[in-house]
Amino acid sequence: MSKLIGPFREVITLANTPEKGTLSDSELEIIQNGGVLIEDGKILKVGAFGDLAMEASEIEEVGDDQVLMPGLIDCHTHLVWGGTRARDYTLRMSGESYEKILEQGGGIFDSVEKTRNASADLLKSGLIKRANRHLQDGVTTIEVKSGYGLDVANELKILEVIKAGKAEVEADLIPTCLAAHVCPTEFQDKKLFLEYLEKELLPKLLVKGLTNRVDIFVEPSAFPVEIAKSYMLAAKKLGFDLTIHADQFNTGGSQIAVELGARSADHLEASTEKEIEILAKSDTVAVALPGASIGLGMQFTPARKLLNAGASLAISTDWNPGSGPMGDLLVQASILGIYEKLSSAEIFSGLTFRAAKALGLHDRGRIKAGMKVDMISFPVDDYREILYNQGKIKPIMIWKNGNRIENV
Ligand code: NIG
Ligand code: FE
């Protein structure tokens, strides 16, 4: 039974938009008065509503004056945590640095203590609340990292929470193991800690089917390049997909991300021409995290330069209790766009199929035959209104796997 959804004033399909490099808005495929024919949660055809109406067995009418685009994909979040870091934020507003707070046992360590002390039920309810808020904002696929456990039992607890949460939310949650976030205080030696994770945690993740993705924070204050590289190589040999927190304050991480064939290198606020070139030549997606720049009051990822050099650029929230507490993807992407001088086409691509690429997903991020019916519509009559309103106009309708999400 096929169903036609529409008519929409504009359908922004992103159907054949390239995976890498610069894009101008003239490259956006915009179907006026468009419709989407679907069956079993998949897109069958996209085209003029009037033409498709003949083929449909059923029609789901939407009000006019809406712009439809693919559901947003947030390929970098840390949604499972206990407690709050309002204290850190207040310290940072008065001039204290993120790294100094960490060095003094606050920052990530503070969230680790609170997360270890929180019950799985409490963590799960926090995750569900945040994932549902994200879905209401149009985010239909959400990557979620562990990383506030830092030992086998607590990292497993967090990844089990993500697995349990997955069954209770309509957005897709894609788990990633970030046990190598920082070295916990009970380990004096960073290399020994990573060896412990490699032997005691990573094989269990595979046996339990908790995740096929591994992340690490590469930074002198977390894990320096050389020892990070051998841990990630071991993870790769075990069959994990890799992603790296790279070049946030110091360079080095993006280079090993490319060398190891990581799906993405995320942050990149400190990347210079050299790192930009390396990323641009690679198949690794560069992920800008404007929420972390806003949360830390620091420079943005050089998104314009990365695109000009030919890189694939995704934009994500980094939603976490410390550096990125806001978690509003559209607001952050709009702000990045105006500072970095990005086209709407570059921003929409970074929020959809380029973010899907960072997650190794090829079934979403475009409105095109064969793709999942993950779509969002905005109550505007021109796509330019979406970014112009800087994220304050939220989606009015959201479809996940072909079903309309209620309460939007
Ligand atoms: O992506 N930079 C490292 N990790 C996270 C922040 C985690 C935290 O501050 O709690 C990030 O910014
Ligand atoms: Fe992060």
Side-chain angles (χ1 to χ4, degrees):
M1 281 275 287
S2 65
K3 179 160 80 175
L4 176 62
I5 309 176
F8 296 96
R9 178 63 64 99
E10 295 178 345
V11 177
I12 310 292
T13 68
L14 302 171
N16 298 305
T17 319
E19 288 195 334
K20 291 181 73 175
T22 59
L23 296 167
S24 71
D25 287 356
S26 61
E27 292 173 77
L28 282 176
E29 181 185 49
I30 303 175
I31 301 177
Q32 310 284 339
N33 299 315
V36 182
L37 191 67
I38 71 165
E39 193 169 61
D40 297 332
K42 291 272 162 57
I43 297 172
L44 288 179
K45 274 187 187 173
V46 189
F49 184 83
D51 297 346
L52 294 175
M54 270 102 68
E55 301 181 36
S57 9
E58 192 190 333
I59 291 185
E60 183 179 328
E61 280 217 41
V62 301
D64 203 2
D65 286 348
Q66 293 188 33
V67 172
L68 184 77
M69 65 176 285
L72 307 181
I73 296 173
D74 191 346
C75 68
H76 184 138
T77 82
H78 310 240
L79 292 194
V80 184
W81 74 79
T84 166
R85 298 255 291 284
R87 175 187 154 275
D88 277 20
Y89 195 83
T90 309
L91 284 173
R92 292 207 301 274
M93 283 196 298
S94 63
E96 195 59 278
S97 82
Y98 180 73
E99 289 158 296
K100 190 75 182 286
I101 295 170
L102 180 68
E103 207 179 284
Q104 291 169 346
I108 295 170
F109 290 120
D110 197 12
S111 292
V112 169
E113 191 188 326
K114 288 166 181 156
T115 305
R116 284 179 174 178
N117 290 333
S119 69
D121 274 352
L122 191 69
L123 294 176
K124 191 176 81 175
S125 66
L127 167 66
I128 290 173
K129 198 178 78 199
R130 292 170 197 127
N132 284 339
R133 199 195 89 185
H134 233 18
L135 182 63
Q136 299 294 318
D137 287 351
V139 186
T140 48
T141 297
I142 311 169
E143 186 259 17
V144 184
K145 299 175 195 299
S146 65
Y148 296 116
L150 308 187
D151 63 26
V152 171
N154 284 291
E155 286 293 315
L156 287 177
K157 176 175 87 171
I158 295 167
L159 288 158
E160 299 276 10
V161 161
I162 300 171
K163 188 174 181 180
K166 251 173 142 168
E168 295 185 41
V169 298
E170 284 170 289
D172 283 328
L173 304 185
I174 311 291
T176 303
C177 176
L178 176 61
H181 200 176
V182 289
C183 185
T185 43
E186 58 273 18
F187 270 84
Q188 299 308 314
D189 188 296
K190 293 179 178 183
K191 194 160 180 285
L192 284 182
F193 174 61
L194 293 185
E195 283 167 10
Y196 153 79
L197 294 181
E198 181 190 327
K199 292 201 176 64
E200 305 294 333
L201 179 63
L202 298 190
K204 290 197 177 75
L205 301 180
L206 296 174
V207 173
K208 290 174 181 279
L210 288 173
T211 180
N212 64 346
R213 293 169 43 86
V214 167
D215 195 350
I216 188 167
F217 184 17
V218 178
E219 193 62 48
S221 59
F223 298 99
V225 174
E226 276 318 311
I227 63 168
K229 193 173 168 182
S230 46
Y231 171 69
M232 292 305 259
L233 196 59
K236 187 180 171 151
K237 284 193 183 137
L238 284 169
F240 287 97
D241 278 355
L242 308 182
T243 173
I244 293 186
H245 277 70
D247 303 359
Q248 186 179 14
F249 303 103
N250 296 279
T251 56
S254 57
Q255 175 142 4
I256 60 166
V258 171
E259 282 169 21
L260 293 165
R263 293 229 183 252
S264 72
D266 307 31
H267 272 295
L268 311 174
E269 294 90 336
S271 298
T272 68
E273 302 296 334
K274 179 182 153 212
E275 288 75 32
I276 290 169
E277 269 310 305
I278 293 171
L279 283 162
K281 288 206 180 80
S282 77
D283 207 31
T284 298
V285 177
V287 182
L289 304 170
S293 300
I294 296 166
L296 297 176
M298 66 187 283
Q299 78 274 16
F300 289 110
T301 301
R304 179 74 269 142
K305 287 184 175 169
L306 281 156
L307 286 163
N308 288 351
S312 184
L313 180 90
I315 304 168
S316 292
T317 59
D318 197 18
W319 195 357
N320 72 71
S323 60
M326 182 207 290
D328 191 318
L329 185 54
L330 205 52
V331 167
Q332 295 169 2
S334 309
I335 293 172
L336 180 74
I338 196 70
Y339 276 90
E340 279 293 308
K341 314 302 171 204
L342 308 179
S343 69
S344 299
E346 288 165 339
I347 296 173
F348 291 158
S349 300
L351 294 172
T352 57
F353 67 91
R354 289 180 173 180
K357 177 177 161 69
L359 296 175
L361 300 173
H362 304 288
D363 60 352
R364 65 196 75 190
R366 302 180 192 265
I367 299 183
K368 184 178 181 175
M371 294 275 159
K372 270 174 176 284
V373 185
D374 288 3
M375 313 188 298
I376 57 178
S377 69
F378 291 87
V380 295
D381 57 10
D382 179 326
Y383 76 88
R384 291 172 296 191
E385 294 287 340
I386 299 171
L387 295 168
Y388 165 61
N389 280 280
Q390 298 182 313
K392 294 305 281 182
I393 291 188
K394 300 296 180 195
I396 189 168
M397 291 185 186
I398 296 169
W399 291 263
K400 179 67 194 160
N401 295 321
N403 300 318
R404 266 279 299 284
I405 304 293
E406 299 301 328
N407 303 322
V408 174

